[in-house]
Amino acid sequence: MDPSLALFVSIFLILLLIRLRINVSVAIFIGALILGILTISLNTFERMFLAITSYQTIRLLIIVISAFTLGFSMQELGLLKRLSATISGIVGKLSLVILPAIVGFLPMPGGALISAIMLTDLVRRYEVKSEEATFVNYWFRHLWVPIWPLYPSFIIGAMVVEVSYLKIMAACYPVTVGMILAGIVFLRNYSCSTARLSGSKVKIIKNLILSLYPLMIVVVFAIILKIDLVITLPFAVFMLYLHKRPNTAKLKKILKKTLDPKIVILIFAVMFYKDLIEYTNSAQIFFNHLKELKFPTPIAAFLLTFVVGFAVGIEISYSAIALPLLTAFTGIGSEFVPKNLMLVFGAGLLGVMMSPLHLCLILTSEYYSADLSKVYRYLIPAGIILISVVWITYLIC
């Protein structure tokens, strides 16, 4: 079967299985198998073994489990409760937006779960519906993806088009503006009107430091010292435990939440699917079909990047898979065209944000016990606003 058609069959099957309330991990795994069998037949199982045992997959697994451990540990040991109380005491319900945005500066797979945990008490206090809480946490967690140099998608994008980080930021900031505008439109009654937090400014600063120091460790090690998250996250957990000295009961409770077999299967399934899309060249073939159908290049580039982002559900997908196919459109080095890269990044991020395979969306919706179909009542209009901003910017620049 034509690989691009097989890709669409697999996407449709995954969406159907999710609609039938099949576990997302199982749905993605089945979709990946279908894509493989329709394209490379029995070689699918060899690719599956190579994908799930690869360094990238093992690294991702370690980072995700470490991130979960850090998030749940900060919750169980009282740090997130202190941070939520401090921020909400200063800005009230607006903290439901600010906290995910703060965590968004720490690019890590499934990082939205950390902010989701942080918001738990606030969601209850302000009686926010689970679907709305899922949307707010998920959306504002990803504001900085197009412009923050720590995100792998950003780093790879800069490498592919061979320009500086500053040029990437200058090109792609309209995407973040679109994200912010789309989020603000759907915020109702998120005001700063609240009683001020009691205590001096020194006490407030102390509370913030004592609440955020594990994340500060991650920032210092990952951003300033450029140490891999595989090392940084476990070290942050170690320092937290060294400080708080959790008892055996606490540790068992944390590990029970962290070591979820469904998460392990999900990571294997997503990486297996990503590997097959690359190996079968289905994205390239899809783009070639669009050009054969006389699609204008900007629309073809937009559709290709959106489909790749939607199919894989990982930010790195559109810069690692689609962008290298589009260098004639985006330009390289001295011939770099900022607005074209902005369109590609906007399309890719839209696809990822709309994807039911996106780890952050899955984890947040499961954590809040939200109906995913109802979450899309927020996501789809927000996505329309986002891409409207991107296209308007593209057309007037």
Side-chain angles (χ1 to χ4, degrees):
M1 180 182 288
D2 180 275
S4 63
L5 178 58
L7 176 62
F8 276 93
V9 170
S10 68
I11 293 172
F12 175 79
L13 179 61
I14 291 170
L15 295 175
L16 177 62
L17 291 173
I18 292 173
R19 183 66 180 172
L20 295 174
R21 301 192 181 280
I22 302 297
N23 182 270
V24 174
S25 305
V26 176
I28 297 173
F29 191 77
I30 292 173
L33 283 175
I34 293 300
L35 173 61
I37 290 171
L38 291 177
T39 53
I40 59 175
S41 188
L42 295 180
N43 288 338
T44 299
F45 299 99
E46 179 184 353
R47 295 308 310 176
M48 178 177 68
F49 176 77
L50 293 174
I52 65 177
T53 59
S54 70
Y55 169 75
Q56 281 187 323
T57 301
I58 302 303
R59 178 178 178 275
L60 179 62
L61 185 62
I62 293 171
I63 290 174
V64 169
I65 291 177
S66 299
F68 290 172
T69 304
L70 182 62
F72 284 121
S73 298
M74 290 176 70
Q75 180 193 38
E76 289 296 329
L77 300 176
L79 279 73
L80 300 186
K81 186 175 182 179
R82 182 200 292 261
L83 178 62
S84 297
T86 304
I87 297 294
S88 63
I90 299 171
V91 298
K93 195 175 181 180
L94 196 61
S95 54
L96 289 167
V97 171
I98 291 176
L99 289 170
I102 291 173
V103 175
F105 284 109
L106 297 173
M108 57 183 70
L113 183 63
I114 291 180
S115 53
I117 296 169
M118 294 171 71
L119 299 181
T120 302
D121 292 338
L122 296 174
V123 168
R124 294 196 190 105
R125 181 191 308 172
Y126 294 111
E127 298 180 348
V128 179
K129 293 186 298 183
S130 58
E131 288 78 20
E132 182 180 344
T134 298
F135 167 75
V136 171
N137 177 69
Y138 175 59
W139 193 264
F140 283 91
R141 158 70 175 80
H142 293 87
L143 293 182
W144 320 118
V145 171
I147 61 170
W148 189 236
L150 286 186
Y151 279 94
S153 55
F154 183 105
I155 297 169
I156 291 174
M159 291 173 58
V160 171
V161 297
E162 299 179 9
V163 297
S164 69
Y165 287 177
L166 287 177
K167 287 187 177 181
I168 300 290
M169 295 171 73
C172 295
Y173 79 87
V175 184
T176 289
V177 171
M179 290 281 289
I180 294 171
L181 290 176
I184 290 174
V185 166
F186 293 94
L187 299 183
R188 296 179 176 87
N189 302 318
Y190 283 67
S191 67
C192 294
S193 176
T194 183
R196 290 290 174 180
L197 186 69
S198 61
S200 65
K201 290 182 179 179
V202 173
K203 180 180 178 181
I204 293 172
I205 293 172
K206 180 182 177 182
N207 284 337
L208 289 174
I209 292 174
L210 290 175
S211 303
L212 285 170
Y213 76 85
L215 295 183
M216 292 176 181
I217 290 173
V218 175
V219 170
V220 170
F221 276 64
I223 298 177
I224 299 176
L225 301 179
K226 302 184 185 302
I227 297 175
D228 198 309
L229 285 172
V230 171
I231 299 172
T232 297
L233 284 169
F235 179 73
V237 173
F238 171 75
M239 294 302 294
L240 175 60
Y241 287 180
L242 193 64
H243 173 216
K244 289 293 186 177
R245 300 187 184 279
N247 57 34
T248 304
K250 285 280 188 184
L251 287 174
K252 286 182 178 179
K253 190 173 182 180
I254 292 167
L255 289 176
K256 185 177 180 181
K257 292 180 178 179
T258 300
L259 301 177
D260 186 346
K262 289 187 295 184
I263 301 303
V264 176
I265 295 172
L266 176 64
I267 291 169
F268 286 156
V270 168
M271 295 304 286
F272 173 36
Y273 196 38
K274 172 181 176 292
D275 176 80
L276 281 175
I277 290 174
E278 294 174 346
Y279 185 76
T280 60
N281 214 21
S282 53
Q284 173 71 73
I285 294 170
F286 172 65
F287 186 57
N288 291 341
H289 288 336
L290 291 177
K291 291 193 291 186
E292 290 168 3
L293 293 172
K294 308 299 182 182
F295 273 79
T297 301
I299 294 177
F302 178 89
L303 290 175
L304 169 66
T305 316
F306 174 83
V307 168
V308 169
F310 186 85
V312 180
I314 303 174
E315 287 91 350
I316 198 174
S317 62
Y318 56 82
S319 59
I321 300 173
L323 188 58
L325 308 178
L326 299 172
T327 51
F329 176 64
T330 61
I332 299 177
S334 61
E335 298 183 1
F336 172 59
V337 184
K339 72 171 188 176
N340 290 0
L341 182 73
M342 183 272 300
L343 183 66
V344 169
F345 264 49
L349 183 59
L350 177 69
V352 170
M353 293 300 292
M354 295 295 110
S355 176
L357 313 185
H358 192 158
L359 193 61
C360 289
L361 178 58
I362 295 166
L363 296 172
T364 305
S365 61
E366 288 186 354
Y367 182 77
Y368 287 129
S369 300
D371 184 333
L372 197 55
S373 64
K374 292 182 180 179
V375 175
Y376 273 92
R377 295 177 186 176
Y378 296 92
L379 274 178
I380 291 174
I384 292 172
I385 294 171
L386 165 61
I387 213 58
S388 297
V389 171
V390 169
W391 271 107
I392 290 170
T393 303
Y394 177 79
L395 293 173
I396 65 176
C397 287

